Amino acid sequence: MAAAGITATGEQGWSSRTAFILAAVGAAVGLGNIWRFPTLAGENGGGAFVLVYIGFVVLLGLPLVLSEIFLGRAGGEDAIRSVRNVAERSNRSTSWKGLGALQITTGFLILSFYSVVAGWVINYVFVSGGDFLGSLMAADPFSVAFSGETQDQITGRMGDLFASPGKLILLHALFMGATIYIVASGVHNGIEKAATWLMPAFFVLLVIITIYGAFTGNFAEAVAFLFTPDFSKLTPMVLNDALGQALFSLSLAAGGLLTYGAYVGKDVNLAPTAGMIAMADTGVAILAGLMIFPIVFAVGLDPAGGPALIFQTLPVAFNAMPGGALVGFVFFILIFFAALTSSISLLEGPTAWVIDRFGIPRKMAALAVGFTAFMIGVTAALGYNVWADVRPLGFWNIFADTDILDTVDGFTGKIMLPFGALLVAVFVGWRADVNLVKAGSGLEGGMFVLWRFLVAWAAPIAVFLVLLFGLVPGLLAS
Ligand code: TRP
């Protein structure tokens, strides 16, 4: 496969199609799959949410993944300039670049809390690493994790962590630092290298642990929970969450794919690539659900337990598993890496724009953007302890009871992501030059017609309705 060469931004692009796929799958697969999906599925009652989520991925997410990569590649620069370029070539208003601006703002905000949650993962890397070391020193490498602790002690560790602002902020700083370091190293030497090593390892371990959970946990109840839709649970809010999650998980509408698309070679056929990204991402989310919920039910935790859920269930599994000390340690490292290959794409979007806009070196841009996101994330970390009573959007009834982290997550997920997706659908479906779109998509005949229908009609209508019924009642009631 020919090298993508130097892009319009002067950045060296992906070295091959495979490298791009791994980087894009790396961006897609992350805390969204392992942490956010199980959390939301649990809070929203399981089956119905999962069904709607998969529907959104297939009918809306997949077509939009192709749309965004296409836009990025056709535009060839940062997210804002790329959209402006395509608008210009289509003889449309350059104000469409606002779509790029909205997206990188969204990505920037997501990064700020994403890094806090990734910090929790790092905490468990340390804890389980210490455990594993201990088992080695006791010459018992097959020991379980957290041996000697009761289940309550294990699940209670999360509360201890939340109670310590210093620890939360330090871990958040570590993660953001790693993200900045990779992005500062560049697309080819940083991002691509990280993804090609880490994603395959992550996949293998995920499958092993899921199989383990299937044999030891309450698999039947988990399957029933995840795949038996109870349609009475389908409120507009559930639809809104499912849509936001589909977009979040596929890295849509937050500048990631627009930006990565610009580094893709002109010879790459985008349609099958988009399919692979969507399939890998959704597969991992389902596997993560099948890994976590058997343990939730076996241990008697509440599936609607919220953001701490996976950090309470996984250690319990490792506590029961022979060799759990080792497996737990390795697995938390891999979640950390999955989070890292996602956070670098969140940082790359705004960073690429800052490089282009202010003409400053990549290292400086990555540091400036990353540090600002870090500072916003600090408020989210403090929202678990010193600012536990703060409700930033408390006046709005759908956010009445959400802490700082959940508010930033909810606002970006329920509102900003759907708006960003809506704009992409309208722009690619109605405003961008059809010949340009057709050539760039790599689709022919009926497939092109179907894709265009989904982008131009299905996506805007669906997103509009979800926003209308999900948000307006809440607004009126506030
Ligand atoms: N998709 C990533 C995950 O599931 C996180 C993410 C959300 C993201 N939006 C993004 C990554 C935009 C890159 C760009 O963990």
Side-chain angles (χ1 to χ4, degrees), residues 356-384:
D356 286 354
R357 173 69 180 74
F358 300 103
I360 61 174
R362 167 169 280 272
K363 287 191 173 51
M364 230 154 105
L367 189 63
V369 177
F371 181 76
T372 319
F374 167 77
M375 291 309 290
I376 298 176
V378 166
T379 66
L382 294 178
Y384 284 97

Side-chain angles (χ1 to χ4, degrees), residues 27-33 110 114 248-252 254 256 342 345-346:
V29 173
L31 297 176
N33 311 62
I110 291 177
Y114 200 89
F248 184 101
S249 196
L250 293 168
S251 304
L252 282 164
S342 298
S345 86
L346 287 164

Side-chain angles (χ1 to χ4, degrees), residues 53-145:
Y53 163 75
I54 292 177
F56 278 138
V57 167
V58 175
L59 294 175
L60 225 134
L62 176 57
L64 289 178
V65 168
L66 179 55
S67 303
E68 290 203 355
I69 303 175
F70 150 74
L71 267 184
R73 182 170 70 173
E77 293 188 73
D78 63 75
I80 296 181
R81 278 151 204 253
S82 286
V83 180
R84 186 203 58 195
N85 292 346
V86 175
E88 252 168 16
R89 280 160 70 187
S90 309
N91 289 319
R92 300 293 181 185
S93 159
T94 52
S95 312
W96 276 103
K97 69 181 180 210
L99 135 66
L102 170 67
Q103 285 214 6
I104 57 178
T105 310
T106 309
F108 173 77
L109 286 174
I110 291 177
L111 174 64
S112 71
F113 73 81
Y114 200 89
S115 171
V116 175
V117 179
W120 308 345
V121 176
I122 297 181
N123 178 65
Y124 280 89
V125 170
F126 287 143
V127 171
S128 56
D131 244 38
F132 176 57
L133 265 185
S135 75
L136 279 187
M137 290 199 287
D140 181 16
F142 296 109
S143 71
V144 300

Side-chain angles (χ1 to χ4, degrees), residues 9 11 348 350-362 365-366:
T9 48
E11 180 63 53
E348 176 66 16
T351 300
W353 173 72
V354 168
I355 295 171
D356 286 354
R357 173 69 180 74
F358 300 103
I360 61 174
R362 167 169 280 272

